Amino acid sequence: MKIICISDTHGLHNQLRNVIPDGDMIIHSGDFCDRGDFFECAQFFSWFSFLPHKYKLVIAGNHDIWMEKASRSEINAIIPPGIHYLQDEGVTIEGLNFWGSPVQPEFFNWAFNKKRGQEIQQHWDLIPKDTDVLISHGPPMFILDKTIAGTHVGCANLFTTVYNLKLKLHIFGHIHNGRGIKVKNNTTFINAAMCDEEYKLIYTPVIINL
């Protein structure tokens, strides 16, 4: 399966129409908005639905504020058919188990913030042990999580959780400066952030065959 990975497009997704390659699946790991209001969320999902990929998976991020405030019925009302929106939930596609969660350690006064430790661990404990592909907004501690100041800001609880899972792939974003790919303990980690620290869309999608 050819998977196209993107994240942190921050309302600039229309600029990607001619740079997103063909593939079987496209995954967006959050921060598809800039301001995060209803109209920005709805516009993104409309754009996402017209992409040609057979499977489309997406989670929210800290900029996608309306997604946290809205009820699930309100969210479902703006998501066109064919898009799998994952909020602490999973889906099985062609024999692969995907799980998505938008939460990350507290980061200013944004959406889906959870305190480090027990509060955020409650979300990681929901991840099934047979998960093949994990989609989170934030990175695990020490894995593609270094800020421009050189500080590691990933989630330590997520690092421990992922270490105990036998994931094939973990896709995330959030820390723009951490953009890249790393393989550790037979798991491929992808920080698919598309914007740089100045919120300029400078990167291309990451392609992986699974």
Side-chain angles (χ1 to χ4, degrees), residues 20-143:
I20 294 181
D22 292 334
D24 303 299
M25 175 181 290
I26 186 164
I27 296 176
H28 195 303
S29 52
D31 275 5
F32 43 80
C33 292
D34 182 25
R35 303 175 310 278
D37 59 30
F38 164 80
F39 296 102
E40 201 173 13
C41 291
Q43 195 277 332
F44 165 78
F45 282 112
S46 176
W47 172 84
F48 202 57
S49 72
F50 282 101
L51 295 178
H53 308 77
K54 183 177 181 180
Y55 304 113
K56 304 177 183 73
L57 279 64
V58 60
I59 65 168
N62 57 290
H63 274 255
D64 308 322
I65 298 169
W66 182 83
M67 303 297 290
E68 183 180 46
K69 295 180 178 179
S71 68
R72 191 51 190 255
S73 61
E74 290 173 322
I75 291 172
N76 289 342
I78 71 165
I79 298 180
I83 296 176
H84 297 280
Y85 172 68
L86 304 178
Q87 188 169 314
D88 285 326
E89 58 197 303
V91 62
T92 299
I93 297 174
E94 294 194 7
L96 293 171
N97 297 322
F98 296 81
W99 186 267
S101 177
V103 303
Q104 77 277 309
E106 286 182 305
F107 185 75
F108 296 108
N109 188 28
W110 296 99
F112 300 105
N113 277 344
K114 302 297 175 182
K115 295 183 184 299
R116 294 178 184 269
Q118 184 178 1
E119 184 176 74
I120 201 166
Q121 185 62 47
Q122 293 175 7
H123 292 266
W124 307 143
D125 285 343
L126 297 173
I127 304 171
K129 295 187 182 301
D130 62 350
T131 299
D132 296 302
V133 180
L134 177 62
I135 310 161
S136 63
H137 182 55
M141 181 71 82
F142 304 124
I143 299 179

Side-chain angles (χ1 to χ4, degrees), residues 3-24:
I3 301 176
I4 311 305
C5 307
I6 60 176
S7 185
D8 297 83
T9 49
H10 291 287
L12 303 175
H13 40 267
N14 285 322
Q15 298 179 26
L16 292 174
R17 187 171 297 276
N18 296 322
V19 301
I20 294 181
D22 292 334
D24 303 299

Side-chain angles (χ1 to χ4, degrees), residues 140 143-144 162 170 172 180-184 187-191:
I143 299 179
L144 305 174
V162 168
H170 184 187
F172 48 87
I181 303 173
K182 183 174 184 177
V183 179
K184 185 178 179 65
T187 298
T188 299
F189 296 88
I190 296 177
N191 182 330

